[in-house]
Amino acid sequence: MTMDALKHSLVPKHSKLSDNEKAVLLEKYAAELKQLPRIYGSDPALSSLSVKEGDIIKIERASKTAGIFAYYRVVTGN
Amino acid sequence: MKKEHQDIIDQYSEILPPYILGQIDQYLPSSSTKVQVEKVLSKVIEAFETAKVNPGECVGLVSAESIGEPGTQMTLNTFHLAGVAEVQVTTGLPRIIEIFDAQKSIKTPMMEIYLKDSHNSVDAVRKFAAKIKSTLFGEFAKEYSLDIFDQKLQVLLNKEFLADHEITAKDLAKSIKLKSKGFVIVVEDDRIIFEHKGKPEEIKELYNLKNKIRLVKVKGLKGITQVLPVKRGEKYLVLTAGTNLKDVLDLPEVDVTRTTSNDIHEVYSVLGVEAARQIIINEVFKVIESQGLNVDLRHIMLVADIMCVGGNIKGITRYGVVSEKASVLARASFETPVKHIINAALEGEVDYLTSVVENVMINQPVPLGTGLPGLITKLK
């Protein structure tokens, strides 16, 4: 496929968290990696990010009720 | 807005969500003083805190009731409205079931194709619609005649239809070449003649050939069976029956930022899990809205989140979301209880009774609301 999925209006902004941000996030929610929602590494929205298993993806969703809010998913295999 | 208001509001960015802050910013009169602004903000915080859901509130149950109750009214409405729309669309309860069960093949797959601004005219939209519609060889043929004596199959073509689609008889012959191996194809102005290569064999073969070539796709995109150019506001768009999101998005005329399909699985494979979640919300909301019902968007969002939490789409079925539950008893309470209990017994599964359903079943307090926190008592 030639187009970038991120350009589509249905796809919110995806970005990868640095190791530091990752630690802060897990500390804030007192969560472990396996408790986070998942996203597959092969997901079309991640094609322009180089991700590996265990990375956390920050997704900035536009919501009618809360404006823009962040949602986090952890990358799992293929 | 006044700069100083902005500064005060910015201090609250940790406490209130950006959307609410934006609203305050928008509606504050520019004449208000610093004290007034702060007063407004403290009132908003108060209202915001009371509106928050308490820890331990069973939001899933509230969602289930809030979607389920209007659902009972929906069933009745569906049958009255059937067949009214210009393109047949599944709505009402059948569509809701399709979405929530995440069914692989839906009854009426559809796409809304938006075109780039440079193609925003009646002619361009018509032309584009004709281009993507999948057209079979059979649609170009006016008449088939089998010549038994000469062992020939003659196909008379519909010339006007060919001209409409800007296709010549030669192009047609080319597209069916693969399917008609072993035959000599003679192309004339308005007819195509098939003859056996070498010695004539059974007439049955010619008959089979006829049935085979009729279903060969000559042009267009696979799966798109109907097209309907429409005008919505200032924009022209093409509604289709049948979907092929992947190929459509690759076409140069298409506005790739807005073109969508109503097939959740297709959106998932082309645009990813987040887009699929959004499509679930949009599609369910569309159905509920079209029935004149009123369900808060947050209930639908919760269901969509649950369906997409694992990175792929799971339906609310015993094979989807329910199969992921940790507790044997909770799974058994949904559907096919005997199967779950037997399998759990075979594998020696342990139920830690950490969730709701299993505790209800064995008559214990459930971890919800006031049952959630444990009490620590200091003994003297």
Side-chain angles (χ1 to χ4, degrees), chain B residues 100-102 314-324 334-335:
Chain B
F100 283 159
D101 283 0
K314 290 195 189 72
I316 316 286
T317 63
R318 70 184 112 128
Y319 309 107
V321 170
V322 179
S323 70
E324 302 276 301
F334 185 68
E335 276 167 15

Side-chain angles (χ1 to χ4, degrees), chain B residues 63-118:
Chain B
S63 283
E65 284 180 346
S66 305
I67 297 172
E69 191 274 334
T72 58
Q73 296 168 41
M74 211 150 41
T75 328
L76 295 166
N77 290 339
T78 312
F79 296 105
H80 293 290
L81 287 168
V84 173
E86 44 188 358
V87 179
Q88 182 74 45
V89 191
T90 320
T91 52
L93 199 67
R95 177 68 183 141
I96 295 274
I97 292 172
E98 249 176 24
I99 302 168
F100 283 159
D101 283 0
Q103 287 173 9
K104 279 271 153 66
S105 60
I106 56 177
K107 272 187 207 135
T108 51
M110 285 173 68
M111 268 195 303
E112 278 181 17
I113 304 172
Y114 286 85
L115 299 182
K116 284 183 183 145
D117 285 340
S118 53

Side-chain angles (χ1 to χ4, degrees), chain A residues 2 8-9 38 43-44 61 73, chain B residues 250 256-257 259 274 308-309:
Chain A
T2 49
H8 202 282
S9 59
R38 268 158 246 164
D43 199 274
R61 284 178 182 167
R73 286 181 188 271
Chain B
D250 279 342
V256 290
T257 61
T259 297
E274 279 294 319
C308 294
V309 83

Side-chain angles (χ1 to χ4, degrees), chain B residues 37-48:
Chain B
V37 175
E38 273 172 350
K39 204 169 171 188
V40 168
L41 278 163
S42 70
K43 283 271 181 199
V44 170
I45 291 172
E46 206 176 288
F48 183 72

Side-chain angles (χ1 to χ4, degrees), chain B residues 294-367:
Chain B
N294 193 11
V295 176
D296 195 286
L297 194 64
R298 275 163 281 201
H299 298 307
I300 304 165
M301 276 159 62
L302 180 68
V303 180
D305 271 338
I306 293 293
M307 288 172 71
C308 294
V309 83
N312 53 5
I313 302 164
K314 290 195 189 72
I316 316 286
T317 63
R318 70 184 112 128
Y319 309 107
V321 170
V322 179
S323 70
E324 302 276 301
K325 288 191 176 186
S327 160
V328 193
L329 293 175
R331 266 179 282 136
S333 75
F334 185 68
E335 276 167 15
T336 59
V338 178
K339 196 177 97 190
H340 280 118
I341 290 166
I342 289 176
N343 281 339
L346 284 172
E347 289 167 21
E349 216 172 297
V350 181
D351 198 325
Y352 292 98
L353 305 176
T354 49
S355 191
V356 182
V357 185
E358 53 268 38
N359 281 305
V360 172
M361 289 169 91
I362 58 164
N363 203 16
Q364 279 204 121
V366 290

